[in-house]
Amino acid sequence: MTHQPWERLDNASNIFLAARTDSDPKVFRVTAELKHNVDQAILQQAVDEVYDRYPLYHAVLRRGVFWHYLQDSTLRPEVTTEQLPTCAPIYDSGRRTLLFRVTHYRQRINLEVFHALSDGTGALWFLTDVIAAYLQRHDPQPAEASTENQQTSLIQELTRDSFAEYFRPKHPSKKRARPPWKTDTTETDLRQPKTRKTTYFKGAYRIKGTRTPDHRTRLIELTVPAKPILALAHGESVSPTIYLTAMFFEALRTAAQPVGQSMTYGASIPVNLRQFFPSTSARNFFATVRIEHTYGSGDNDGVGCVARHLEQQFRTKATPEALETKLRRFSRFERMVAVRVVPRQIKDVLLRWINWGNNRGLTVAVSNLGRVNLPDPIEPFVHRMAFHVTAVRPQFCVMTHAGMMTISFTSPYVETDHVREFARHLRSLGVPVSVAAPRVTEEHLASVDEAQ
């Protein structure tokens, strides 16, 4: 039997694996909407071509005595029409399957990924190459686009773990440099001097609701022009991610109307580490930053004031120095002998407890892949792009393309009052909003609230 290469999961991947549930299988989706209906046969050819250039995506998940690991496989992906609910479970411990799927529906190409394999940036690279390969076959004009991203895809090796490369003690810190791409978190200067000490965060307000009967993710997409959002954020000297987070806090507070004199809302925001520590690995390479605001504490609770308060916290925590210190500490803990010899089943339980404890301090989770600029030859053929994840709590994801921003709200609950309040707030500021809301149950086919 031929030995297949393998690699241990990194810290982030292990947490995704331990924390997955029926309602939150830790799957995310990146979507590209073309200007014509997708041809499945041509899409299959494109996926086959790109798949051969991404060894990471060949991996299956295996269980060892002390850890989970990724192992190379000879499996091939099969493109299908979209039939399952969005972000349906991918990993099944009882089956040996690939950790991603490609589906299509009318004009949409969907890439869904189990988060233990890759992050949003890595998945976006893969999808961009698939779109280029597809259009090369469908329309001769964008032929040169097929090589645009190969410089990254050709080195997506299974063993390329950037966490180990930068944050394990035996690897000295490397020179930091910003890569050509910039995510939303680089729109403001994150290299600010610390203005206050790290705050201990207490428990945060938790949203509750009626769970969808079959555990499917409740998804609502708002599409808005990006310029007005950028103007509103820049007017408060904050990033668009932070401004939208403050607006989301206000929408949740208005919809939920929590009882009490004060209420703390906490948000988790991922930071793409590639902007500080250069990496071309498509594996997970991000860290999360937690920020909060307490309403009714005597401060001005308007969206602008809340956004500035959140931005101050984010700038302090999202410096490369602060992130490196945090991640090196995690790496040292992971490599302690006492931790390494603990059986995998016990580690999974411990990670599940740690994740549960962290969730007590969170009201929402936010993720922004920023502005996506596709290679020029394929840009005119793509109408819209979107991104969303499964959710253990109400949250939203953002992606901007061709001047339009898609804000995707996901939740394990049927209720959508917070999305309605969010859309109302945008409209009150003069921002036009279009809404798409897939139905989640037969009972809601006629009554689904589309945030109007």
Side-chain angles (χ1 to χ4, degrees), residues 311-324:
E311 180 79 13
Q312 183 184 26
Q313 298 173 53
F314 186 79
R315 289 190 182 191
T316 300
K317 292 168 172 281
T319 63
E321 293 79 13
L323 293 169
E324 182 172 8

Side-chain angles (χ1 to χ4, degrees), residues 11 18 42 54 61 64 77 88 110 151 163 189 197 208 221 263 270 299 310 336 388 400 441:
N11 273 333
I42 297 178
Y54 277 74
L61 196 56
N110 307 308
Q151 59 182 339
F163 284 105
D189 184 7
K197 295 181 180 179
K208 297 180 180 180
E221 290 181 343
M263 188 62 64
D299 297 329
L310 297 178
M336 291 174 58
H388 65 265
T400 303
T441 68

Side-chain angles (χ1 to χ4, degrees), residues 320-348:
E321 293 79 13
L323 293 169
E324 182 172 8
T325 298
K326 174 182 177 180
L327 292 167
R328 282 188 177 277
R329 184 170 64 248
F330 288 163
S331 180
R332 285 195 297 270
F333 175 77
E334 177 193 28
R335 297 182 66 78
M336 291 174 58
V337 174
V339 175
R340 294 172 65 183
V341 298
V342 172
R344 170 185 51 77
Q345 294 92 332
I346 297 178
K347 286 177 182 172
D348 285 347

Side-chain angles (χ1 to χ4, degrees), residues 78-303:
E78 180 181 353
V79 174
T80 62
T81 56
E82 184 176 8
Q83 298 175 336
L84 297 172
T86 184
C87 295
I90 290 179
Y91 172 64
D92 181 346
S93 60
R95 299 176 59 200
R96 187 168 177 265
T97 60
L98 295 175
L99 302 177
F100 75 99
R101 67 169 69 98
V102 178
T103 64
H104 70 93
Y105 178 71
R106 294 182 180 176
Q107 297 175 308
R108 287 191 171 200
I109 298 175
N110 307 308
L111 170 64
E112 295 185 338
V113 181
F114 181 43
H115 220 323
L117 177 70
S118 182
D119 60 16
T121 299
L124 185 58
W125 291 343
F126 184 91
L127 180 60
T128 300
D129 278 0
V130 167
I131 296 169
Y134 172 86
L135 291 173
Q136 181 184 12
R137 290 167 170 78
H138 190 274
D139 297 281
Q141 293 180 359
E144 64 269 32
S146 62
T147 60
E148 184 74 20
N149 277 7
Q150 287 189 26
Q151 59 182 339
T152 59
S153 64
L154 286 174
I155 54 176
Q156 303 301 337
E157 300 172 0
L158 176 62
T159 58
R160 195 173 182 86
D161 179 357
S162 294
F163 284 105
E165 182 179 358
Y166 282 103
F167 306 122
R168 285 184 183 170
K170 65 179 181 180
H171 294 279
S173 180
K174 298 189 177 184
K175 182 178 179 181
R176 306 180 188 95
R178 292 175 185 253
W181 58 88
K182 290 176 67 178
T183 60
D184 174 55
T185 54
T186 64
E187 292 179 6
T188 55
D189 184 7
L190 300 181
R191 300 171 184 269
Q192 299 284 337
K194 292 186 177 181
T195 57
R196 67 184 201 178
K197 295 181 180 179
T198 301
T199 305
Y200 171 76
F201 292 118
K202 55 186 178 181
Y205 176 70
R206 306 289 298 279
I207 295 101
K208 297 180 180 180
T210 305
R211 291 190 175 274
T212 56
D214 58 355
H215 301 296
R216 74 175 61 192
T217 296
R218 184 75 161 99
L219 167 66
I220 299 179
E221 290 181 343
L222 304 187
T223 302
V224 301
K227 273 190 176 182
I229 303 297
L230 296 175
L232 289 167
H234 293 163
E236 300 294 345
S237 299
V238 302
S239 73
T241 300
I242 297 298
Y243 188 85
L244 292 172
T245 301
M247 191 182 298
F248 195 34
F249 278 5
E250 181 63 23
L252 288 169
R253 190 167 72 115
T254 303
Q257 298 179 340
V259 178
Q261 294 299 316
S262 64
M263 188 62 64
T264 299
Y265 283 62
S268 171
I269 299 179
V271 177
N272 182 4
L273 294 173
R274 298 171 182 85
Q275 61 185 310
F276 302 128
F277 308 95
S279 170
T280 56
S281 173
R283 294 182 64 181
N284 286 305
F285 195 45
F286 69 93
T288 57
V289 169
R290 185 190 181 281
I291 55 180
E292 70 168 28
H293 180 78
T294 300
Y295 286 90
S297 60
D299 297 329
N300 184 344
D301 288 337
V303 171

